[in-house]
Amino acid sequence: MRKLLTAIIIAVLCLVLCSAALAEGEGIISADEFSGAAQPTAAPHEEAAAAAPDAAGARQRVFDLAELLTEDEEAALQSRINELVAKDGQDMGIVTVDDESVASTQEFADGFYEDSGMGIGENRTGVLFCLDMYNREAYISTAGDMIDIIDDQRLEEILDAQMEYLAEGDYMGAFSAALDQTNEFIEMGVADNHTAIDAETGEELEPSEYGSTYTPKKPKTPAERAAGAAALGGIGGLTGLFAGLIAKGSIRRSYAKKYLPSKYDWRTNSKLDLRVNDSKLVNKFVTTRVIPRNNNTPRSGGGGSVSSVHMSSGGMRHGGGGRSF
C-alpha cells in the first residue's frame, strides 16, 4: 500500500512538472527549428520589386554584361545611383550588353527592367539606361512617374549628352551625364501642359493607364477665369489708386514752393537761324519675302510636352526611346 501511494505521489508530481513546462513553452520545437528557416516562395525579381525604397538602396543597380567599365567605375556609378535613389525616390539602373541574340534593344531594356525587379512602389517607377554594343544603340526605358518626368523632349536631351561621350568611347562619362541630367529633370518635375500618348495608336492616355501618379491640371472654367480676371482687376485698381495718391501729394508739394523768376536774359542770349532744306528722294526700294507657316505643332497643343508610351512583351507600359551611336 505504501509503495502504491508513493508511486501515485511521484506520478502526480511528474504530471504537475510537465504541465508547467508545457505552459511556459519549454521543450517545444518550432517548425522553423525543426526544418530550418522558412525559405522565400516568391521569385527573386518579385522580392526586389516589393522592397521598400530605403531597403532597395542596397540592391545591385549596375550590370556591366558587356564589360565596358572598370571595377572602380562600376562602384562609383553604383554609389552615385544609390544616392540619387535615396534623394529622389525614383529607381535607376544601368545595363550594358553585347549579345547577337538581342534583336531589339527596346525589348531587351524593357524586359531587363521587369525581370530584374527594378522599380519603386506599386507602380514600379524608375528609369534604366542601356547600352547595346551589338546593335550599337543607347536606349532609355522609363516606367511609372518617370514616363511623365522624362518626356520625349527631355529624352532627346539626355541622349544628346550621352552621344558626346559615346563618340569617344567614354562609357563612364556617358552614364554619368545621363544620371546628372535625369536628376535635374526629377528636381524640375513634370513639364507644363504635359500629355502622354499611345505610341502605336496616337491616342491620349490617362496617367492611371500607364502607372503614373501625375495629376494633370484641369483647365479653368469660364466662371473661374472671370473671377480671376476680376481679382486681378481689383488688385490693379488698388495699385493705381495708391500710385495716384502718391503722385498727387508730390505735385501738391511741388506747387506749394515759392516761385522764383529766372535771371537768365533769354532775349540777349537767344539766336534764331532759319534755312531751307532742298533734299529730294531719288530712289526707293521695297523688299518682300514669304514666311512659311510652321505646321509642326505638338499634339498636346500650346507647346506642351509629350511622352510616348508603348506596351512591352511582358504586358507593362513603358516610356523611353533610343538612338544609334
Side-chain angles (χ1 to χ4, degrees), residues 3 10 26 37 43 49 71 77 128 137 148 215 218 223 235 268 272 281 306 316:
K3 291 181 179 180
I10 293 174
E26 297 178 1
E71 292 184 1
L77 288 173
L128 174 68
E137 182 176 358
D148 294 320
T215 303
K218 296 181 179 180
I235 294 173
T268 304
L272 180 62
L281 178 62
V306 177
M316 183 174 174

Side-chain angles (χ1 to χ4, degrees), residues 129-149:
F129 303 99
C130 174
L131 279 186
D132 181 357
M133 299 304 295
Y134 181 77
N135 295 301
R136 303 295 296 181
E137 182 176 358
Y139 192 87
I140 300 173
S141 178
T142 58
D145 297 339
M146 290 303 292
I147 293 178
D148 294 320
I149 293 174

Side-chain angles (χ1 to χ4, degrees), residues 146-325:
M146 290 303 292
I147 293 178
D148 294 320
I149 293 174
I150 301 182
D151 55 40
D152 294 353
Q153 177 61 38
R154 291 176 174 180
L155 175 76
E156 293 300 323
E157 293 182 28
I158 296 175
L159 291 173
D160 286 342
Q162 286 191 300
M163 292 301 139
E164 297 179 7
Y165 295 94
L166 292 176
E168 301 176 358
D170 185 357
Y171 306 111
M172 174 67 178
F175 286 127
S176 297
L179 292 174
D180 290 342
Q181 284 218 298
T182 300
N183 177 52
E184 292 181 8
F185 291 143
I186 292 175
E187 292 178 348
M188 292 168 61
V190 180
D192 294 336
N193 302 324
H194 177 75
T195 57
I197 61 172
D198 189 304
E200 184 176 352
T201 64
E203 296 179 356
E204 186 172 335
L205 300 173
E206 293 294 330
S208 58
E209 296 183 70
Y210 53 92
S212 174
T213 60
Y214 168 66
T215 303
K217 294 181 179 179
K218 296 181 179 180
K220 293 183 178 180
T221 63
E224 290 175 337
R225 290 196 297 269
L232 290 176
I235 294 173
L238 290 176
T239 303
L241 177 61
F242 184 68
L245 292 175
I246 294 176
K248 179 181 179 181
S250 176
I251 294 173
R252 177 174 293 180
R253 284 193 301 271
S254 65
Y255 276 98
K257 296 179 181 179
K258 186 177 180 180
Y259 172 73
L260 296 176
S262 176
K263 296 181 179 180
Y264 182 77
D265 188 357
W266 61 272
R267 294 182 182 275
T268 304
N269 297 324
S270 61
K271 182 179 181 182
L272 180 62
D273 186 6
L274 298 178
R275 294 183 180 181
V276 177
N277 190 346
D278 198 21
S279 300
K280 295 181 180 180
L281 178 62
V282 178
N283 294 317
K284 180 180 180 181
F285 299 94
V286 178
T287 302
T288 60
R289 65 187 180 93
V290 178
I291 301 177
R293 178 178 297 177
N294 182 14
N295 294 321
N296 299 323
T297 56
R299 292 182 60 102
S300 61
S305 68
V306 177
S307 292
S308 300
V309 183
H310 62 270
M311 182 77 75
S312 72
S313 58
M316 183 174 174
R317 295 273 194 178
H318 288 271
R323 188 186 301 176
S324 299
F325 65 92

Side-chain angles (χ1 to χ4, degrees), residues 43-52 56 59 91 115-120 124:
H45 69 272
E46 293 176 351
E47 289 184 343
R59 294 204 321 261
D91 205 357
D115 296 339
S116 64
M118 278 195 64
I120 293 177
R124 298 187 63 176

